[in-house]
Amino acid sequence: MSGQDVAIVGAGIVGATLAAALAPHARVLLLEAEDQPGYHSTGRSAAFWSETYGGPAIQPLTSASAAAFATGGWLEPLGSLHIGRAEDEGRIDAFIAAFAGTAIPLRRVDPAALVPGLRPDWVHGVLEPSCAYIDVGGMHGAALATAKRNGAALATGARLEAAERREGRWRITTTAGEFVADVLVDAAGAWADAVAVLAGVRPLGIQPYRRTMAQLRTERAAPEGMAHVADIAGRFYFKPEAGGKLWLSPHDETPVDPHDVAPEELDVAIAIDRFEGVVDWRVTAVERRWAGLRSFAPDRLPVYGFDPQVPGFFWAAGQGGFGIQTAPAAAELAAALLLGRGEMPAGVDPARYSPTRFGVSRS
Ligand SMILES: Cc1cc2nc3c(=O)[nH]c(=O)nc-3n(C[C@H](O)[C@H](O)[C@H](O)COP(=O)(O)OP(=O)(O)OC[C@H]3O[C@@H](n4cnc5c(N)ncnc54)[C@H](O)[C@@H]3O)c2cc1C
């Protein structure tokens, strides 16, 4: 049995980046149930960084992450074109207004000039040029390497089965042995509530939702440099990938219990049907399909902070569809709270993401 300052449950992007931020200052143990860190949501994302994605309450975390992404070299230019039909004019106006106070360079464009074969009912376009591809694997690997270089231990195949707080420390039982730590961090993604329950902490209502992705071949290849295309009404998005491929999502959000999720054929069919209503490109093959879980707190904001009722239990959960693009600033925020330091990422208000917003006595 070994003693640690902090044990982090979950070695996806959230646990890994937090371990990297903490390791120079604390003895860190990263516990991962799977043999492969990144097997769940982190390895199944659409891999883009967009300052508007998730809305104005998420934007500060995304924008504050930009510098770390640039330093790591994990972004490649992509751009995002938000499109709408005549009836979406109100949504387009509201979208631009929502980000008016930020430095995000949004501008109205003619969408047909940017997407060849766009069907004529898509009349509105807003370009977000700063949207970028993320090298998720590179970023996740670098975070794990930084954590290890600074002394953090990673235990894979180590599923947390029980955690008990005794004499101010956590006694942690996992499938890879027993550990002791002062603080237990819940970075278990879709299993965040389940891990809380194992530690005797009241769940917050973190709900996983299935999201489907398909990799397509189309008769007409996406032109070089085409932006990510997203429906302003939130019914699809697609983006070009290397080798003339296209990644498409129907933007589905089906509530499910946490599990190793697989795509449903119907969701792939819905995605293709919507896609064919946007452009006149014929789909010639579905090369790959997958699904992942996006997990949200009831108010759809992430949760970073100590549980108000159980000492030594820290939440890093509810990252929804923006856990990768916000990871650097979120890790900085969580590390500052865990280490009791005052410096927060620029523009980030920790109170907004605190678990205390759900009240002290939930039932
Ligand atoms: C289809 C799809 C597209 C997405 N696109 C984007 C995007 O473009 N940009 C973006 O920023 N975000 C995107 N996201 C969201 C992003 O993937 C998630 O927000 C992020 O990966 C969450 O990271 P995580 O570390 O919390 O979760 P995970 O990667 O799921 O990690 C949690 C880990 O906890 C482990 N665990 C669970 N229970 C236990 C236990 N009892 N003991 C030990 N370990 C345990 C799991 O094995 C898992 O590895 C997308 C998500 C999906 C599904």
Side-chain angles (χ1 to χ4, degrees):
M1 204 181 278
S2 58
Q4 307 286 334
D5 299 323
V6 181
I8 301 173
V9 186
I13 199 71
V14 174
T17 49
L18 178 55
L22 279 178
H25 314 287
R27 283 173 306 157
V28 176
L29 170 66
L30 198 46
L31 295 168
E32 171 52 53
E34 304 290 348
D35 294 337
Q36 187 66 40
Y39 175 74
H40 290 290
S41 301
T42 298
R44 305 178 190 207
S45 87
F48 64 85
W49 181 90
S50 158
E51 287 173 289
T52 61
Y53 202 71
I58 300 304
Q59 175 268 320
L61 285 170
T62 309
S63 299
S65 297
F69 274 110
T71 306
W74 299 309
L75 295 186
E76 288 289 332
L78 170 62
S80 184
L81 175 65
H82 305 267
I83 61 172
R85 288 173 286 201
E87 64 267 31
D88 294 322
E89 186 155 11
R91 287 192 174 99
I92 292 274
D93 289 342
F95 174 70
I96 293 171
F99 296 98
T102 70
I104 306 169
L106 297 178
R107 65 170 195 272
R108 278 185 184 268
V109 290
D110 171 10
L114 300 177
V115 183
L118 188 71
R119 297 198 186 276
D121 37 344
W122 296 93
V123 291
H124 296 296
V126 178
L127 189 65
E128 181 186 345
S130 55
C131 176
Y133 292 100
I134 304 177
D135 173 2
V136 179
M139 178 191 180
H140 188 219
L144 291 171
T146 302
K148 281 191 200 165
R149 203 168 47 247
N150 286 292
L154 168 65
T156 52
R159 181 179 301 279
L160 180 132
E161 294 186 317
E164 195 189 342
R165 186 116 179 125
R166 260 193 271 147
E167 293 154 10
R169 304 199 83 192
W170 289 100
R171 314 272 147 169
I172 301 162
T173 306
T174 78
T175 46
E178 310 229 322
F179 304 90
V180 176
D182 298 330
V183 173
L184 189 63
V185 175
D186 185 350
W191 289 266
D193 268 1
V195 163
V197 169
L198 290 172
V201 174
R202 276 185 208 202
L204 294 179
I206 307 281
Q207 174 65 53
Y209 296 89
R210 186 179 66 235
R211 164 107 353 141
T212 308
M213 301 289 305
Q215 179 173 304
L216 309 178
R217 286 270 171 200
T218 50
E219 215 164 46
R220 183 202 286 245
E224 181 109 350
M226 192 185 84
H228 172 268
V229 177
D231 177 18
I232 198 75
R235 296 176 339 119
F236 61 82
Y237 62 71
F238 56 90
K239 83 193 233 277
E241 287 290 322
K245 296 165 189 157
L246 205 71
W247 282 11
L248 168 71
S249 174
H251 223 257
D252 50 333
E253 195 163 282
T254 309
V256 291
D257 287 336
H259 68 295
D260 186 359
V261 64
E264 299 279 330
E265 270 315 310
L266 181 61
D267 291 324
V268 176
I270 289 171
I272 292 173
D273 183 56
R274 290 180 184 172
F275 175 74
E276 290 179 343
V278 183
V279 283
D280 64 7
W281 317 1
R282 210 171 58 84
V283 174
T284 52
V286 178
E287 292 185 333
R288 198 156 74 86
R289 62 206 84 196
W290 69 98
L293 297 176
R294 300 156 77 250
S295 301
F296 289 94
D299 61 3
R300 294 180 76 93
L301 296 185
V303 190
Y304 293 101
F306 282 102
D307 187 85
Q309 290 183 309
V310 176
F313 187 91
F314 188 95
W315 290 91
Q319 288 80 8
F322 36 77
I324 294 163
Q325 63 176 35
T326 56
E332 204 185 318
L333 162 70
L337 294 171
L338 281 159
L339 296 168
R341 296 182 171 177
E343 328 85 76
M344 295 296 156
V348 172
D349 173 11
R352 191 174 227 175
Y353 310 115
S354 167
T356 57
R357 70 187 191 266
F358 299 109
V360 179
S361 48
R362 298 174 305 271
S363 55

